[in-house]
Amino acid sequence: MVERSDRAPLLDWEEVPSAEKPGGAAPVAAHTKDRLSSPSNSRAGWSSSPGGPSRSVSDGCSAPPATSSIPAGKDEALLPDSEQHLSDLTSREVSLEDRMVKWEEKDQIVSVFVVTFNTRSGNMLEWCLPKDMDLEGVEFKAIASGSHRVTTDFIYFRKGCYFGLACFANMAVESTVERGARMKSVGILSPSYTLLYRYMSFLEHQVRLQLQSPGHYSPLEAFYEDKRALLPPSGDGVVTACPANAWGAAINHSMHPEMKITHPAGCMSQFIRFFGEQIMVLWKLALLRRRILIFSPPPVGVVCYRVYCCCCLANISIPGIGVAVPEFRPFFYVNVADISALENELSYVACTTEKIFEEKKDLYDVYVDNQNVKTYRDGLKPLLRLSTADREKYRKLTEQRQMLLYSQEENGDCVSSEEDLFILFFLEQNNRIFQTLSEVAGSPDPTLTQESVRAMGLDPHGDRLFLLHLLEIYGYDTLLVSEQLCCS
């Protein structure tokens, strides 16, 4: 079977066919379908907290644009009255569709920059647009600590209320001033990380150009002029190009979180192979909204994908669930400059290349070093042990994945993907838990029994502590727990 690359080369900086071009409707529809894998709940550029607050303007544009049911070519035959009536009915949709296309395909980038390593001064911001953009500290995010050991890398990160993607490259040079190596990174910032993956190839190409011809910024200037976002006059970073409630109904039916950072999917398969049964431990900790920090030496890109996958574990699509719990925010790559920000976070998942974080035990609840998941919090240590139900769920996930791979190999199934399978598997599991909890809470006898716990797909004995944490965090602490379950 021929595999498609997830880094198809771009022609200049136009990676998305324009909706205005003849025959462009189909590609737009395809991209629209792809963007349906977006979170049902987000705010101001952050990833969604499953069951959390309603979607905000900055991430609220991943649902399909409205389309008219009038056949093409028929509008000339409309009578004036009919035409006016049609205009009354559809002008809002047409206008909104135009705005959606502009938002999703053009008005996303708030900054583009070049970072370089200077042998005397260390990481430095070399160039940026716009010139007045606050990029303090971005030089340490775009070139991760330890990157001198790798030739190429890519990094997702958070900068204030924005998300960034940077591509790094290291080239050997015959220069004593540069100590035999030239290192640069070209990056962008956006209010949301949903579509950043589209610019991966462009950034990879540009960082190579910057290494070979330093100071040649005209392609980056043209890119920024073409893709820059429209920010409100207040300058608060909240993009208002798309109405907040434009696609609320459609988005609420979407079952995927807005974490489409790679295209096509590939990191899910790697995530499952890398962690094996341990993903069931990470699933519980993510659902409990714990602070998860993943350590790994460079390259950073693959570890950013693990951050993404961890967030996917906690998705819930039942309305109203999780409103009161902290948002499970992806920080992606963090360094020592982010310590003060992490100190104020109640729930997050992030990755780092700096070993010193392991000593900062007050910053995280769970520390992941390669496949090793550990915690210094006594109340969480029992959750690191796999229950019988965990192993059964992992077995089912493995079976479903093998069936999908077989279908793709034998039948050429290009519709389904491992990402869909992975996300839906845990989404259904999470929905099953909270649906059962809601039913028990609304029953005349709101008591959790061994039967109701098994109905959630949990082990009444091995998952007892997990269940107690879950009841407390999600506000089900009024439920009674049967003595048989409590004393197991």
Side-chain angles (χ1 to χ4, degrees):
M1 186 176 79
V2 178
E3 294 184 356
R4 293 187 60 186
S5 170
D6 62 346
R7 298 188 183 180
L10 306 183
L11 295 176
D12 204 4
W13 55 84
E14 286 297 334
E15 67 291 312
V16 182
S18 172
E20 290 78 19
K21 292 181 181 180
V28 170
H31 286 296
T32 297
K33 180 179 179 182
D34 178 61
R35 284 192 292 271
L36 267 177
S37 51
S38 49
S40 52
N41 310 295
S42 306
R43 75 183 184 200
W46 292 109
S47 72
S48 66
S49 170
S54 60
R55 192 180 183 86
S56 74
V57 284
S58 63
D59 285 356
C61 306
S62 293
T67 55
S68 172
S69 59
I70 305 300
K74 298 293 185 182
D75 53 335
E76 296 87 353
L78 291 173
L79 296 175
D81 291 343
S82 300
E83 191 174 37
Q84 180 63 41
H85 181 64
L86 176 63
S87 176
D88 291 341
L89 291 176
T90 63
S91 60
R92 182 174 179 273
E93 283 98 337
V94 171
S95 174
L96 190 55
E97 178 179 356
D98 290 342
R99 294 170 70 187
M100 296 285 275
V101 170
K102 283 184 179 181
W103 160 258
E104 292 186 319
E105 297 186 359
K106 297 184 72 67
D107 303 329
Q108 283 286 309
I109 307 304
V110 299
S111 181
V112 58
F113 57 86
V114 177
V115 168
T116 188
F117 176 78
N118 183 282
T119 54
R120 293 184 178 180
S121 306
N123 296 1
M124 295 179 58
L125 180 65
E126 176 183 313
W127 174 91
C128 71
L129 280 179
K131 297 299 183 181
D132 58 350
M133 187 72 177
D134 178 15
L135 294 177
E136 182 181 358
V138 77
E139 64 270 25
F140 299 109
K141 296 176 181 293
I143 300 182
S145 177
S147 290
H148 61 280
R149 301 188 185 97
V150 299
T151 304
T152 60
D153 199 2
F154 62 95
I155 308 168
Y156 284 87
F157 59 90
R158 171 198 163 189
K159 167 59 180 167
C161 60
Y162 300 120
F163 286 95
L165 169 62
C167 287
F168 166 84
N170 183 354
M171 183 178 75
V173 292
E174 294 182 0
S175 169
T176 55
V177 175
E178 295 177 283
R179 297 180 185 175
R182 181 178 298 159
M183 292 178 280
K184 292 182 183 288
S185 195
V186 177
I188 53 178
L189 291 181
S190 173
S192 172
Y193 54 84
T194 313
L195 304 180
L196 287 177
Y197 73 89
R198 290 186 174 184
Y199 309 116
M200 178 84 77
S201 294
F202 172 75
L203 296 176
E204 288 176 329
H205 178 64
Q206 288 302 310
V207 74
R208 288 193 295 268
L209 287 182
Q210 289 299 318
L211 288 176
Q212 296 163 5
S213 304
H216 183 59
Y217 306 123
S218 55
L220 296 175
E221 293 170 347
F223 171 83
Y224 175 71
E225 288 301 317
D226 185 57
K227 299 295 182 183
R228 64 177 176 176
L230 300 178
L231 299 180
S234 62
D236 58 6
V238 179
V239 177
T240 57
C242 178
N245 58 353
W247 304 111
I251 292 166
N252 286 336
H253 289 291
S254 173
M255 294 187 295
H256 293 186
E258 182 167 345
M259 295 165 186
K260 196 75 172 179
I261 65 172
T262 181
H263 179 73
C267 55
M268 294 299 184
S269 177
Q270 189 271 349
F271 185 72
I272 295 173
R273 288 198 303 267
F274 186 78
F275 282 108
E277 289 183 334
Q278 289 295 306
I279 63 173
M280 307 311 302
V281 173
L282 292 173
W283 161 66
K284 291 179 181 178
L285 296 167
L287 203 58
L288 293 178
R289 297 295 194 269
R290 296 302 177 180
R291 299 173 299 168
I292 301 175
L293 182 61
I294 303 173
F295 168 80
S296 177
V300 179
V302 67
V303 195
C304 290
Y305 286 163
R306 292 172 196 162
V307 171
Y308 157 55
C309 292
C310 280
C311 288
C312 291
L313 298 173
N315 196 36
I316 307 165
S317 64
I318 300 176
I321 300 297
V323 173
V325 301
E327 286 185 290
F328 197 49
R329 293 179 169 181
F331 269 67
F332 295 108
Y333 175 72
V334 294
N335 54 34
V336 291
D338 297 299
I339 288 179
S340 59
L342 294 179
E343 285 175 338
N344 299 319
E345 291 297 321
L346 299 176
S347 175
Y348 71 83
V349 55
C351 62
T352 187
T353 60
E354 300 184 10
K355 195 69 174 177
I356 191 174
F357 270 95
E358 187 173 8
E359 302 174 8
K360 307 289 184 180
K361 299 177 183 178
D362 57 326
L363 292 180
Y364 59 85
D365 299 316
V366 180
Y367 189 82
V368 182
D369 187 345
N370 288 314
Q371 290 99 333
N372 301 317
V373 182
K374 55 186 177 181
T375 179
Y376 296 100
R377 309 197 180 283
D378 293 337
L380 297 179
K381 288 180 180 178
L383 298 181
L384 304 186
R385 294 193 295 266
L386 291 167
S387 68
T388 303
D390 290 333
R391 290 190 168 89
E392 177 62 18
K393 281 192 283 287
Y394 183 74
R395 184 188 64 81
K396 290 180 179 178
L397 175 61
T398 304
E399 287 181 354
Q400 291 181 22
R401 179 171 173 263
Q402 292 301 325
M403 290 175 62
L404 173 64
L405 295 177
Y406 177 81
S407 177
Q408 291 175 335
E409 185 73 29
E410 295 296 318
N411 305 323
D413 179 9
C414 298
V415 177
S416 303
S417 70
E418 286 190 64
E419 178 170 282
D420 294 330
L421 170 66
F422 183 92
I423 292 174
L424 289 173
F425 181 89
F426 286 98
L427 173 71
E428 291 169 357
Q429 174 61 49
N430 297 341
N431 285 351
R432 183 180 176 186
I433 289 175
F434 290 103
Q435 185 65 42
T436 304
L437 287 176
S438 298
E439 291 173 357
V440 173
S443 66
D445 181 19
T447 303
L448 286 173
T449 64
Q450 290 196 19
E451 290 72 24
S452 57
V453 173
R454 289 193 180 95
M456 301 179 201
L458 301 178
D459 182 346
H461 301 283
D463 288 328
R464 172 179 166 268
L465 182 61
F466 167 65
L467 183 59
L468 293 176
H469 279 295
L470 202 68
L471 297 179
E472 179 183 1
I473 291 173
Y474 285 86
Y476 287 99
D477 45 1
T478 57
L479 285 177
L480 302 175
V481 179
S482 68
E483 293 184 6
Q484 189 178 15
L485 176 61
C486 182
C487 300
S488 60

